[in-house]
């Protein structure tokens, strides 16, 4: 909660766009992590704003790179929030020095997903 408040203070409030490159799958390993991460992202993004999230994919056949999540785990990531998944596609992460040391023909696979926080219904 303190980190979210710090980010909101520094940003001057919720943002239009949030980019997550391999943070969600780390946060979800903490106690109550998936729910807390989803709630934090929801608070950080203003209504109508977007989240671009990169995370590991279970389509990666080897145990390397980011934590591997299924497409369904990613789609369910923000159940119970106002964040709606607009798309989710497979991709390969960029090469890093660590990935090159692994001697695989391509970097690890991942999911790139786009989310939108819904706007409140006018009363």
């Amino acid at each position: 909660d303190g980190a979210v408040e710090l980010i909101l203070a520094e940003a001057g409030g919720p943002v239009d766009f949030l980019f997550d490159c391999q943070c969600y799958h780390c946060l979800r390993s903490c106690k109550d992590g998936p729910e807390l991460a989803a709630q934090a992202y929801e608070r950080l993004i203003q209504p109508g704003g977007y989240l671009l999230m990169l995370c590991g994919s279970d389509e990666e056949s080897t145990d390397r790179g980011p934590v591997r999540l299924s497409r369904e785990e990613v789609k369910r990531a923000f159940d119970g929030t106002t964040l709606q998944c607009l798309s989710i596609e497979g991709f390969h992460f960029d090469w890093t020095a660590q990935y090159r040391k692994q001697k695989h023909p391509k970097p690890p696979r991942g999911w790139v997903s786009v989310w939108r926080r819904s706007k409140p219904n006018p009363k």
Side-chain angles (χ1 to χ4, degrees), residues 11 15 27 35 52 64 67 71 81 93 108 119 123:
V15 297
L27 294 172
E35 295 83 15
L52 175 63
R64 66 183 184 121
V67 174
R71 180 185 293 266
T81 72
F93 283 96
K119 293 181 180 181
K123 295 181 181 184

Side-chain angles (χ1 to χ4, degrees), residues 7-75:
I7 293 168
L8 288 171
E10 288 292 318
V15 297
D16 292 327
F17 179 78
L18 184 67
F19 176 59
D20 170 351
C21 183
Q22 303 185 50
C23 290
Y24 174 75
H25 70 254
C26 293
L27 294 172
R28 66 185 285 281
S29 65
C30 301
K31 183 179 184 286
D32 301 322
E35 295 83 15
L36 294 176
Q39 293 166 8
Y41 288 9
E42 183 178 38
R43 288 179 55 207
L44 290 169
I45 301 167
Q46 71 179 2
Y50 292 88
L51 166 66
L52 175 63
M53 186 169 80
L54 306 179
C55 64
S57 167
D58 65 349
E59 291 184 353
E60 176 58 46
S61 60
T62 60
D63 190 15
R64 66 183 184 121
V67 174
R68 295 177 294 170
L69 303 175
S70 71
R71 180 185 293 266
E72 288 308 311
E73 285 177 296
V74 176
K75 283 185 174 182

